[in-house]
Amino acid sequence: YTDIDSDQDDSQNVIATLLNFENPIFGEQRTTADKDFNIGKYELKSGSIHLRFKSAVDFIFKGPGSFEILGSKSLFIEKGEVRTMVLNEEGHEFTILTPSSKFIDWGTEFCLSINPGRKDKIDVLSGLVEIQDAETSKSICHVKRNNFVTKQSEHWEGEFFQSNYIQIPSMM
C-alpha cells in the first residue's frame, strides 16, 4: 500500500504517540515504554492502545490484530477493532484502509471491526465517514451518525455493529 498523503516524507518522523493503554502484549520487540510510533507495521496480540496522530486524531486499537501506519493520515488494518476520533479540522480525511474498503473520516467518531475472510463492520457515532472501494477508490456511500447511509452509488458489502465495548484504555 502506498501512503495517500505522500507529499511529505514521514518515514523518520514520529507519526503517533502512545497516550495510554490497557494490558497490551505486542507481537514484536516493543514495550509500552516506546511512546513513539513511526511508519511501519505493528502487531497487538491482546489488550488495547490509545495513539494520538499529530494532535488531530485519536486512534484506539484493540487486539488481537495488526495495523500498519502508512503516513500521518493513513493506516492499513488487516485485523482488529478500532475507534477513531477526529479532534479538529487537521484530522479530516484521516483514512483507514482494509483489504476491501477505504474509510475516510470527515470529522467524526467511528468504530471498525476488521477480520480476514469476514465483512468489514462499521459503527458511526457522530459525523460522516465516506466508504470507498479499496482497489478503485470509487465512492460507494457515506455513513452518518446512527449508521444512516447517504450518497450510495452501489451496495457496500459490509455490516453495521454496536461498538460500545471499544473504549479508551484507562491505564497508563
Side-chain angles (χ1 to χ4, degrees), residues 18 25 43 52 79 85 91 98 100 109 139:
L18 181 67
I25 298 175
E43 181 185 2
R52 179 157 295 157
K79 178 184 178 184
M85 294 160 282
T98 69
S100 62
E109 181 175 354
S139 184

Side-chain angles (χ1 to χ4, degrees), residues 72-86:
S72 61
K73 283 189 165 188
S74 57
L75 289 159
F76 175 77
I77 297 177
E78 183 78 36
K79 178 184 178 184
E81 295 178 319
V82 175
R83 183 179 204 117
T84 303
M85 294 160 282
V86 170

Side-chain angles (χ1 to χ4, degrees), residues 145-162:
R145 184 172 180 232
N146 297 324
N147 299 323
F148 181 73
V149 177
T150 65
K151 296 188 180 182
Q152 187 166 358
S153 62
E154 60 186 73
H155 180 69
W156 177 58
E157 293 295 327
E159 297 177 345
F160 300 105
F161 78 117
Q162 293 297 310

Side-chain angles (χ1 to χ4, degrees), residues 38-116:
N38 302 316
I39 287 176
K41 293 182 181 183
Y42 301 91
E43 181 185 2
L44 193 61
K45 292 185 175 187
S46 65
S48 59
I49 58 173
H50 178 185
L51 304 180
R52 179 157 295 157
F53 281 74
K54 303 273 187 178
S55 301
V57 176
D58 277 3
F59 173 78
I60 288 86
F61 187 82
K62 185 175 180 185
S66 62
F67 64 94
E68 181 178 0
I69 296 176
L70 304 172
S72 61
K73 283 189 165 188
S74 57
L75 289 159
F76 175 77
I77 297 177
E78 183 78 36
K79 178 184 178 184
E81 295 178 319
V82 175
R83 183 179 204 117
T84 303
M85 294 160 282
V86 170
L87 306 174
N88 53 50
E89 286 190 12
E90 283 183 44
H92 288 194
E93 296 184 64
F94 187 80
T95 301
I96 296 178
L97 295 96
T98 69
S100 62
S101 300
K102 262 189 211 178
F103 299 89
I104 302 172
D105 197 322
W106 292 103
T108 189
E109 181 175 354
F110 73 101
C111 297
L112 294 172
S113 179
I114 308 300
N115 282 292

Side-chain angles (χ1 to χ4, degrees), residues 126-159:
S126 66
L128 177 73
V129 175
E130 180 181 356
I131 301 175
Q132 295 182 353
D133 181 273
E135 291 180 22
T136 66
S137 295
K138 179 183 177 193
S139 184
I140 295 171
C141 65
H142 291 181
V143 182
K144 294 182 178 180
R145 184 172 180 232
N146 297 324
N147 299 323
F148 181 73
V149 177
T150 65
K151 296 188 180 182
Q152 187 166 358
S153 62
E154 60 186 73
H155 180 69
W156 177 58
E157 293 295 327
E159 297 177 345

